[in-house]
């Protein structure tokens, strides 16, 4: 809801007379320490700085799911991962079919990503009519989708690269790996190394949000040493015997040490990312002038049309076909009551490409006209995907067959060739 309100507010603000929207987001802001300074406009502080926290949250989620979550089971992962690959590749191909050359072709990465927040929010509106396994499928797909989108940004949307800064970034990565290897559980050490990593990646020319992902992947998510609980009992009893500031501080530290650093950082970061960073990002990037001339240009622009078709048809067909291939070849499984109608509806909803699509739009286009046309395509395609996906889940969800046969109960399967026996 906050992201939706921020997007609408950005559209209204951008269309007010006077141009205050662009003037505000182009305001310069600097951080200076002695002779060293870092100066960016407000939009770049949001896109390069604050969004690193969003991508840090994504990296933490990926690390946790791979380590102790649902991504540990290869069969449970294979269906959404193959669906995500189809959902990444086909939209790019469709977009390039509309924009095969020129500056517009550089925007092929815009329609490849899915906005997890919007998708999960819409699924929540369906309540019990949406199987929990479908939510899990789409969450896993979104994680694989995020990995693909982040890789695309790092590889294809980086201009010049400073080798010295990259070497420095590699040194900070080595420090983070060492902290993880020796079992350091204090978050402040990871945060300090992460800030250094962000500065190095920013100076290298690679988009600075990659530092957030790397930090999230390297903060340990494995269960802590069970001996930490013994320390908690010891310091807890000490506080009960005599409560003072020193004993209370040690008891708090012992409590924190029993929870993986990944979980503690996610808990601290999630409200900031969800309720501040992402809405502010929408406010800073969703604003586009919707005057008659801009709308006429977008209505016939291959950039706008390519993005809309790629988000709707590319995501739906790519995800459905990739998932169906994994199911039909029995490489993966979707347990529970997930039907092909749910799969199609989920594929349509995955066409909501708001956050990262707008993010890549800013990286892909130098020309303001192409950027506005791409933003209109992202907004229109995401809106259509939300409406059509909701309708598909509502009216097709229970009407198409199950994706997999639930053999946990009921009569045993018939032996091979039993269909030839008329008595069976």
């Amino acid at each position: 809801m906050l992201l939706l309100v921020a997007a609408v507010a950005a559209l209204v603000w951008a269309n007010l007379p006077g141009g205050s929207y662009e003037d505000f987001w182009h305001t310069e802001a600097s951080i200076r320490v002695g002779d060293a300074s870092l100066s960016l406009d407000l939009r770049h502080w949001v896109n390069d700085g604050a969004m690193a926290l969003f991508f840090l949250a994504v990296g933490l989620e990926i690390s946790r799911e791979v380590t102790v979550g649902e991504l540990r089971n290869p069969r449970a992962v294979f269906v959404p991962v193959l669906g995500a690959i189809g959902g990444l590749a086909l939209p790019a191909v469709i977009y390039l079919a509309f924009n095969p050359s020129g500056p517009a072709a550089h925007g092929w990465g815009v329609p490849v990503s899915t906005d997890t927040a919007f998708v999960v929010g819409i699924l929540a509106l369906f309540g019990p009519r949406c199987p929990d396994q479908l939510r899990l499928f789409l969450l896993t797909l979104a994680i694989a989708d995020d990995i693909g989108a982040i890789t695309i940004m790092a590889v294809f949307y980086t201009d010049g690269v400073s080798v010295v800064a990259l070497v420095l970034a590699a040194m900070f990565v080595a420090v983070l790996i060492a902290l993880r290897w020796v079992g350091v559980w204090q978050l402040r050490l990871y945060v300090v190394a992460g800030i250094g990593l962000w500065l190095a990646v920013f100076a290298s020319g690679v988009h600075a949000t990659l530092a957030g992902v790397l930090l999230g992947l390297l903060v340990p998510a494995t269960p802590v040493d069970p001996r930490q609980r013994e320390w908690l009992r010891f310091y807890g009893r000490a506080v009960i015997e005599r409560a003072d500031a020193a004993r209370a501080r040690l008891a708090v530290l012992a409590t924190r040490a029993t929870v993986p650093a990944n979980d503690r950082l996610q808990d601290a970061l999630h409200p900031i990312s969800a309720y501040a960073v992402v809405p502010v990002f929408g406010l800073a990037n969703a604003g586009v002038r919707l005057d008659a001339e801009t709308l006429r240009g977008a209505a016939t622009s291959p950039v706008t049309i390519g993005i809309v078709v790629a988000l709707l048809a590319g995501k739906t067909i790519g995800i459905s076909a990739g998932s169906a291939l994994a199911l039909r070849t029995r490489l993966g499984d979707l347990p529970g009551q997930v039907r092909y109608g749910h799969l199609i509806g989920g594929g349509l909803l995955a066409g909501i490409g708001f956050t990262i699509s707008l993010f890549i739009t800013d990286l892909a286009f130098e020309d303001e006209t192409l950027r506005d046309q791409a933003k209109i395509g992202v907004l229109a395609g995401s809106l259509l995907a939300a409406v059509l996906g909701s309708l598909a889940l509502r009216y097709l969800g229970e009407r198409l067959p199950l994706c997999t046969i639930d053999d946990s109960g009921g009569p045993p399967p018939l032996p091979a060739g039993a269909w030839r026996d008329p008595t069976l």
Side-chain angles (χ1 to χ4, degrees):
M1 289 300 297
L2 282 174
L3 185 55
L4 184 60
V5 169
V8 172
L11 287 171
V12 172
W13 186 5
N15 287 276
L16 293 176
S20 61
Y21 179 81
E22 289 298 331
D23 290 343
F24 176 80
W25 292 110
H26 282 120
T27 303
E28 291 285 328
S30 301
I31 295 177
R32 182 180 299 275
V33 179
D35 294 332
S37 66
L38 179 60
S39 181
L40 299 170
D41 64 29
L42 292 180
R43 178 173 286 140
H44 280 92
W45 275 117
V46 171
N47 291 352
D48 293 0
M51 282 298 285
L53 297 177
F54 168 79
F55 283 100
L56 170 56
V58 172
L60 290 168
E61 182 181 3
I62 293 171
S63 175
R64 187 181 186 282
E65 291 299 321
V66 170
T67 305
V68 296
E70 297 296 334
L71 297 186
R72 291 180 304 164
N73 182 359
R75 284 189 59 81
V77 171
F78 205 87
V79 179
V81 166
L82 202 58
I85 292 172
L88 287 166
L90 190 56
V93 171
I94 290 175
Y95 178 87
L96 287 173
F98 283 91
N99 302 274
S101 61
H106 197 47
W108 62 269
V110 173
V112 302
S113 184
T114 296
D115 192 298
T116 311
F118 270 133
V119 173
V120 173
I122 290 174
L123 290 179
L125 299 177
F126 282 88
R129 286 184 294 180
C130 173
D132 290 337
Q133 289 80 7
L134 177 63
R135 288 190 181 89
L136 179 60
F137 166 80
L138 287 176
L139 279 173
T140 308
L141 183 142
I143 291 171
D145 184 283
D146 286 341
I147 295 173
I150 291 164
T151 304
I152 287 170
M153 285 193 299
V155 174
F156 297 101
Y157 290 100
T158 296
D159 297 327
V161 175
S162 168
V163 176
V164 175
L166 278 181
V167 171
L168 186 60
M171 291 173 60
F172 279 110
V173 169
V175 170
L176 288 166
I177 292 173
L179 291 174
R180 178 179 178 131
W181 183 70
V182 300
V184 173
W185 56 267
Q186 292 92 340
L187 282 179
R188 64 173 65 92
L189 297 177
Y190 292 99
V191 171
V192 170
I195 293 172
L197 177 62
W198 183 89
L199 290 170
V201 173
F202 179 82
S204 73
V206 179
H207 204 275
T209 51
L210 182 63
V213 179
L214 291 173
L215 177 60
L217 293 175
L218 293 173
V219 173
T222 51
V224 299
D225 190 334
R227 289 175 295 181
Q228 295 289 354
R229 295 185 178 88
E230 296 302 322
W231 286 107
L232 176 59
R233 292 190 182 96
F234 175 80
Y235 287 114
R237 285 194 299 268
V239 172
I240 292 173
E241 291 171 1
R242 181 167 61 85
D244 59 34
R247 294 188 180 201
R249 178 175 57 83
L250 291 171
V252 169
L253 291 175
T255 303
R256 290 175 181 169
T258 62
V259 181
N262 182 295
D263 289 1
R264 286 184 281 119
L265 188 53
Q266 276 202 71
D267 183 66
L269 190 63
H270 184 267
I272 299 171
S273 173
Y275 301 131
V277 172
V278 173
V280 170
F281 171 82
L283 186 64
N285 290 274
V288 57
R289 290 197 65 83
L290 299 178
D291 53 35
E293 182 180 353
T294 303
L295 291 174
R296 277 197 302 269
T300 57
S301 167
V303 172
T304 305
I305 297 171
I307 289 174
V308 172
V309 175
L311 286 173
L312 290 175
K315 278 291 185 182
T316 306
I317 297 173
I319 290 172
S320 301
S323 303
L325 177 64
L327 291 169
R328 289 298 182 183
T329 55
R330 298 190 180 277
L331 293 173
D333 199 5
L334 280 179
Q337 300 300 307
V338 179
R339 298 176 177 271
Y340 281 103
H342 295 134
L343 209 58
I344 294 171
L348 276 166
L349 285 181
I352 303 174
F354 190 84
T355 304
I356 298 183
S357 293
L358 289 176
F359 193 86
I360 297 178
T361 296
D362 190 61
L363 301 176
F365 298 113
E366 297 284 342
D367 185 84
E368 195 67 33
T369 301
L370 290 178
R371 189 177 295 171
D372 287 347
Q373 291 172 354
K375 287 183 178 181
I376 291 173
V378 171
L379 295 173
S382 298
L383 178 61
L384 287 171
V387 173
L388 295 177
S390 299
L391 291 174
L393 284 178
R394 174 68 178 82
Y395 295 106
L396 291 179
E398 300 296 331
R399 299 188 180 186
L400 296 183
L402 289 169
C403 292
T404 54
I405 299 174
D406 185 2
D407 56 5
S408 59
L414 294 177
W419 58 275
R420 298 190 185 93
D421 188 342
T423 61
L424 296 175

